[in-house]
Amino acid sequence: MKLIFRGVRGSIPTPGPGTVKYGGNTTCIEIRTASNELIILDAGTGIHALAQRLNPRETVNAHIFITHTHWDHIQGLPFFMPIFMPNNLINIYGGIDPVTNEGIQRSMGVQLQYSFFPIREAELKAKLNYHTLLPGKTVSVGEARITPTLLNHPVLNFGYRIDCDGQSLFFTGDYEPVYNIYSPEDPDHDEYQSYVEAKLAEVAQAMSDVDALIVDASYTDEEYRSKQGWGHGTYRSALSMAAQAHAKKLFLTHHDPCRSDRQLDRIHQQLQQENRDAPFDILMAREGIEYTL
Amino acid sequence: MHIDELVTLVEKMPAFPNSVQRVVELASDINSSGKDIVVVIESDPVMTVKILKAINSPFYGLPRKINSIQRAVVHIGINTIKNMALSVAAIGVLKPHNKAGFDTGKFLLHSLMTAAICKKLGETMGVPQNELSDYYVAGLLHDFGKVVFAEFKAEAFKQSLQKSAEQQLPLHHCENEFIGIDHSQAGALLAEKWAFDASLVEAINHHHTPPQSSLLTQCLFVANQVSKQLGIGDAGNPIVEAFPEAVSAHFGMDLNEVIESLGDLSTLKSEALSFIH
Ligand SMILES: [Zn+2]
Ligand SMILES: [Zn+2]
């Protein structure tokens, strides 16, 4: 599989001189299988850059897997140019939100209303298929098998594992590892802790032995102290996840919009220095660079 | 009464007034903690049932059945659970007194006490920590069928309550006579339809006739008798039932000895009361 980040920012696009190296688009990852299937993880603004690279004379058959419906992960969908061209086939996959009971078609339906966007869903020229995914139920795209796992975030969020061509990767989407909401003195603490551990083990199992683990690492430990419960992970939680999963490469992504290239470089250096013995590579997700797994 | 009718009725069922108020308060308080909201949901059978039902629904497809709100929070996140509670809270509010003359406040107190006692019994019987919430939820939901009757089969349920009180008969016998189904069957049918764990379905189904096999059902039976005997709360059944053979054999005590062994229940009682007022 080949892997290209098209958007690496969390929350909001951040163009400007300070974000040239790593990029300023919100989350979007392009995956190409050996047989050239196009799998896209999330449709942040980076999906526009992805579309620009597609050959306009070829029909597009894309499989877009949405981790969750926060803006920074769906905002690029209406700007994915192939949806306006006939003969293209766009498959969009995602889960059902238990609060609204609605599937992933809502993310497009909500955005394509006249008050927000000039073109209505009915006017799109490509054929759009929506697929509702269930946690733990694998779907196939050509040779690739994609398995969703429920991960903690303030809205339903799927992490995706992709197995293909004898290789594997896991992308968390936005993920804050679950933690105990009770303090140790609380009588409910131990019982809750047992659920937390079972859930963390389930997640570790889902990402076990991947060639690439792509993780939402938005915060430093210090920042996290005031941001617990916001739904994002830390550099530290990403490192321990990679160790537990025996991942070969760890990609840190969902960079905080306030973080400049210089700051990301510095964090990266520091992480590498402090984890020289780590049995995996530590990489900062960077737009446009192609990785072959 | 048909199962499909039951299921549709419960969709329309509103939560209890006090928990609605608290959920709304907590949701608008940015400093409220996750566990506050869990406590409120756990104290309301309607919210509990609706959230567990949604989470266990087949198209949601979780690998394991989820029987408790805490487990639900770990799986799907506190924010989603909070929003689900809010949407349940938005659907009307169960009246404290209804056409059936069923006092929902006393009912809630009975359910909460039975839940707390059932969990405590499980603990003393050596049930592992991570299964104790099933004991709590079984206690909370065992009489859920009665709220459905009170809300949607008011006339027939009123007759059942009256006959049961006047002639000192078990309420479920009278329900069978006037409604054609009793609350334990109704509750079990719903729990089954919502894909709750088989052990929970069985406990609700047999909470008046506990079989040999299930410790959960036996604890639930005993907890129910204890809260009736102590007169904390009231769910309309005047009869404290004798321990069947299986229960006596398992506990090796009679009802009063069990009550004695539980020690001081005043904390449980005041905790439960704090949800009603
Ligand atoms: Zn995000
Ligand atoms: Zn998000």
Side-chain angles (χ1 to χ4, degrees), chain A residues 10-11 42 67-73 153-157 173-175 216 230-232 254:
Chain A
S11 308
D42 276 343
T67 61
H68 69 296
T69 53
H70 283 157
W71 278 120
D72 52 329
H73 299 256
H153 194 54
V155 68
L156 181 104
N157 176 63
D174 286 2
Y175 172 41
D216 160 13
W230 290 25
H232 299 288
H254 210 267

Side-chain angles (χ1 to χ4, degrees), chain A residues 1 3 5 167-171 207 209-215 238-239 241-243 245-252 278-285 289-293:
Chain A
M1 281 187 285
L3 162 67
F5 289 94
Q167 296 161 324
S168 54
L169 67 81
F170 190 100
F171 173 49
M207 46 177 71
D209 302 314
V210 284
D211 295 288
L213 177 61
I214 308 164
V215 177
L239 286 163
M241 233 180 280
H246 305 289
K248 296 197 183 65
K249 281 192 176 75
L250 169 64
F251 289 94
L252 304 166
F280 47 83
D281 299 336
I282 303 168
L283 299 123
M284 288 288 188
I289 313 280
E290 183 176 306
Y291 298 92
T292 306
L293 296 186

